Amino acid sequence: MFFLFLLGLALGCGTGGPDSDGSSSALEMLPRDSGPDDNRCLTWHISDDSVPEDCILECPRGGPTAPIAVHFECTQIHIVSCKDLSNVVLDCEDGEHHKFDGLHGQYGTFELDGCLIVGAWVKAGNNASGDGPGYGERFDSDLDCDGTGGTGGAGGTGGTGGTAGTGGIVVQ
């Protein structure tokens, strides 16, 4: 199986660099190819259920956990985290889980050939979910990627797809 791991090249640069504890004050959430009138930031899922203002993820200082924002596409997930990413586990429509670990940085785009993503666990800071080793906070997709009204993971609903990101590193 061919694994494709894309770093955050499809995402914009952060407005504040990481501090010594791996956190930032605010991070840009728009992909680089988005125009100024693009409302794509409104389709992001944010861990504290807040609504992004001006496509900025607000990052409070200190503490073991911090906000995470994810944007689902049918075969990709874009992630922005106030704490450095350590693990991402993709939940594919076929029930398989695929883990990317040993990560660093606050931005990431993840894709796996043959995987329609219905959800993901994002580990950044001390946000273990208890669903498995290295499984962080759970996010569910609400996209309809298979034409059956959306698989959406646990409690998800149907929706529409997005566009693909670019760039990255191939891991085989």
Side-chain angles (χ1 to χ4, degrees):
M1 184 175 281
F2 179 77
F3 292 93
L4 182 64
F5 170 67
L6 300 173
L7 294 175
L9 296 177
L11 301 172
C13 297
T15 59
D19 296 330
S20 62
D21 69 352
S23 63
S24 292
S25 58
L27 297 170
E28 181 79 37
M29 290 172 42
L30 282 177
R32 285 185 179 163
D33 58 355
S34 297
D37 296 327
D38 192 342
N39 287 327
R40 187 173 177 181
C41 65
L42 299 177
T43 63
W44 287 70
H45 301 265
I46 300 179
S47 57
D48 63 4
D49 294 325
S50 64
V51 176
E53 185 173 319
D54 297 325
C55 295
I56 299 293
L57 180 64
E58 293 297 327
C59 300
R61 301 264 181 210
T65 62
I68 298 170
V70 301
H71 176 74
F72 288 98
E73 298 180 19
C74 291
T75 60
Q76 288 186 338
I77 182 172
H78 306 283
I79 302 171
V80 177
S81 172
C82 293
K83 297 263 185 201
D84 281 348
L85 297 170
S86 56
N87 299 319
V88 171
V89 181
L90 299 183
D91 183 7
C92 301
E93 179 184 44
D94 63 7
E96 294 289 320
H97 295 175
H98 299 279
K99 185 176 178 183
F100 297 88
D101 52 8
L103 305 176
H104 301 285
Q106 296 171 296
Y107 293 91
T109 295
F110 302 87
E111 179 177 357
L112 184 66
D113 281 351
C115 174
L116 289 180
I117 301 171
V118 297
W121 290 268
V122 179
K123 180 83 170 74
N126 187 17
N127 69 338
S129 66
D131 293 334
Y135 283 48
E137 184 171 353
R138 169 74 184 197
F139 294 88
D140 292 314
S141 173
D142 56 1
L143 299 180
D144 179 7
C145 297
D146 62 2
T148 62
T151 55
T157 59
T160 58
T163 58
T166 59
I169 300 171
V170 175
V171 179
Q172 296 184 359

